[in-house]
Amino acid sequence: MTTETVRRTADERREEILDAAFEAFAQSGFVGTSTEAIADAVGISQPYLFRLFGTKKQLFLAAVERCLEQTHEVLEAGLAAQEPGADPMIAMGEAYRVAIERPGLLRMQMQAYVACDDPDVRAVVRDGYGRLVMRIAAATGASPQEIAGFVASGMLLNVLAAMDVLESDLPWAALLREGCIGGP
Amino acid sequence: MTTETVRRTADERREEILDAAFEAFAQSGFVGTSTEAIADAVGISQPYLFRLFGTKKQLFLAAVERCLEQTHEVLEAGLAAQEPGADPMIAMGEAYRVAIERPGLLRMQMQAYVACDDPDVRAVVRDGYGRLVMRIAAATGASPQEIAGFVASGMLLNVLAAMDVLESDLPWAALLREGCIGGP
DNA sequence: CCGTGATGTTAGTGATGACTCACAACCATG
DNA sequence: CATGGTTGTGAGTCATCACTAACATCACGG
């Protein structure tokens, strides 16, 4: 048998674990996901996961931070791609169409929000989300109504992803989706 | 000692349990809430809870249904209270100001959404939420953009409730709150 | 006043899950 | 080849939790 054990550096392992944890937490949430399931997905033993991350909560917090970072990146990419002089609000709306391609990211956002019952999670989420909002405000100079409307659209997309109706042809789902990101 | 055991009918108990379960699930979610905690809050033994609801999931589903019903009621109340001839969209916006007074309701919505990983929950949530959206569409006759915008505002409020920033004076939170429901 | 059905509890059980300890295999360097 | 740091695991521990079986207590009709 050639089940040769692929040995990796601790940093590489941490990266793999974080990837697996992200998907698992996005699907089943913090309490609903077992560390064993994550370890299995990576292909390592569960004790090793604990050595590399210390605690289930620390791993979750790392996933939350990554989630906020990636959201930020999606936004920045939208801004960077815009025509000079165009309305930045439209550029960021375009960014949503990109985000939709990653339901895992949207679901992870939801999981981060509901996990805000925990103070440590809450601190990270508030901080990260606050930065996102301020970045939008600074980039667009839009009114509170416009900004809130934009952010709210993102939240609606998150919820549609959680309900798994982003691709659905249920009439109400199609209506919301198209009302949210524009026609087909 | 006058710890006289208050005996109730099964239906009254079910009601009490549902109340307690609603608050508990809203706070900690389906997996994060123990049936023991709910039983304790009601002041009954945990096995009795199981006799009256059969299963933790059935209890959760009952709480989800109640959540959707109450959301519907808030909306209907807004519509019923409007001036004849006024824009129904504005009436329902006013309904949000009422909903904000009940963070438990908003948080329970979030918990229902993330619990959509489970097919049974998903079915109930999709059905209930679909009805809400169609009711709004019928009552307002508004465009998909308007409807989605309205629904999205509700989602943003849910998230702000989950983050516990509905009363916060963090600048970004205040911006979103006011951008969402209008100035003070 | 006694039986019968409804309301309620005590004391489990089996499974799961976060986390630990001791040990093993591997690799680099002197 | 010895040594020591790094990568990794097997086999637990202890708590929690959904759910059950059996028994207790009350109220009420005949």
Side-chain angles (χ1 to χ4, degrees):
Chain A
M1 293 204 302
T2 42
T3 46
E4 41 179 298
T5 348
V6 263
R7 244 168 126 92
R8 307 223 175 288
T9 74
D11 277 348
E12 285 167 338
R13 280 300 190 208
R14 260 185 279 260
E15 204 59 26
E16 289 181 3
I17 293 172
L18 202 44
D19 282 346
F22 192 101
E23 288 310 313
F25 282 138
Q27 194 73 28
S28 319
F30 177 58
V31 238
T33 303
S34 74
T35 55
E36 199 184 359
I38 299 171
D40 283 358
V42 179
I44 60 169
S45 72
Q46 184 240 27
Y48 193 39
L49 181 153
F50 275 89
R51 174 126 98 222
L52 294 181
F53 278 91
T55 268
K56 187 189 180 186
K57 193 158 100 175
Q58 281 178 38
L59 177 53
F60 183 73
L61 285 173
V64 169
E65 264 158 11
R66 162 167 293 199
C67 172
L68 290 163
E69 268 167 35
Q70 291 186 354
T71 308
H72 211 108
E73 282 165 18
V74 168
L75 227 60
E76 293 293 348
L79 284 173
Q82 75 179 321
E83 307 284 326
D87 181 2
M89 214 70 186
I90 290 175
M92 289 192 303
E94 186 58 31
Y96 275 162
R97 292 185 208 246
V98 175
I100 282 188
E101 308 293 320
R102 292 205 43 206
L105 180 59
L106 304 185
R107 280 194 262 260
M108 186 66 209
Q109 285 194 26
M110 289 293 283
Q111 298 292 357
Y113 301 146
V114 293
C116 278
D117 189 34
D118 178 284
D120 298 324
V121 176
R122 191 163 60 232
V124 171
V125 168
R126 281 186 182 178
D127 179 73
Y129 210 77
R131 270 212 273 267
L132 270 174
V133 173
M134 294 321 265
R135 179 77 181 94
I136 294 173
T140 66
S143 71
Q145 279 79 6
E146 280 178 302
I147 294 170
F150 177 74
V151 170
S153 294
M155 296 306 180
L156 176 52
L157 288 181
N158 291 346
V159 173
L160 295 179
M163 287 185 193
D164 199 23
V165 292
L166 278 180
E167 315 262 304
S168 158
D169 51 3
L170 291 167
W172 60 272
L175 185 151
L176 290 181
R177 191 177 53 235
E178 269 133 48
C180 193
I181 61 169
Chain B
M1 294 203 302
T2 43
T3 46
E4 40 180 299
T5 349
V6 265
R7 245 166 125 93
R8 306 223 176 289
T9 73
D11 277 349
E12 285 168 336
R13 279 301 189 208
R14 260 184 278 260
E15 205 59 27
E16 288 181 3
I17 293 173
L18 202 42
D19 282 346
F22 192 101
E23 288 310 314
F25 282 137
Q27 195 72 29
S28 318
F30 177 58
V31 237
T33 304
S34 74
T35 55
E36 197 183 1
I38 299 171
D40 283 357
V42 179
I44 61 170
S45 72
Q46 183 240 28
Y48 193 38
L49 180 153
F50 275 90
R51 182 180 294 168
L52 295 181
F53 278 91
T55 268
K56 188 190 180 185
K57 193 158 99 175
Q58 282 178 38
L59 177 54
F60 183 73
L61 286 173
V64 169
E65 264 157 12
R66 162 167 293 199
C67 172
L68 290 163
E69 270 166 34
Q70 291 187 354
T71 308
H72 211 108
E73 283 165 18
V74 168
L75 226 60
E76 293 293 348
L79 284 173
Q82 75 178 321
E83 307 283 327
D87 181 4
M89 215 70 186
I90 289 174
M92 290 192 305
E94 186 58 30
Y96 275 161
R97 291 187 208 246
V98 175
I100 282 188
E101 307 295 320
R102 292 204 44 204
L105 180 58
L106 304 184
R107 280 193 263 257
M108 185 65 210
Q109 286 195 25
M110 290 293 283
Q111 298 292 358
Y113 301 146
V114 291
C116 278
D117 189 35
D118 178 284
D120 298 324
V121 176
R122 191 163 60 231
V124 170
V125 168
R126 281 185 183 179
D127 180 74
Y129 210 78
R131 270 212 273 269
L132 271 174
V133 173
M134 293 321 265
R135 178 78 181 94
I136 294 172
T140 65
S143 71
Q145 279 77 5
E146 280 177 303
I147 294 171
F150 178 74
V151 170
S153 294
M155 295 308 179
L156 176 52
L157 287 182
N158 290 346
V159 173
L160 294 179
M163 287 185 193
D164 200 23
V165 293
L166 278 178
E167 316 260 306
S168 159
D169 52 3
L170 292 168
W172 60 273
L175 184 153
L176 290 181
R177 192 176 54 234
E178 269 133 48
C180 191
I181 63 170

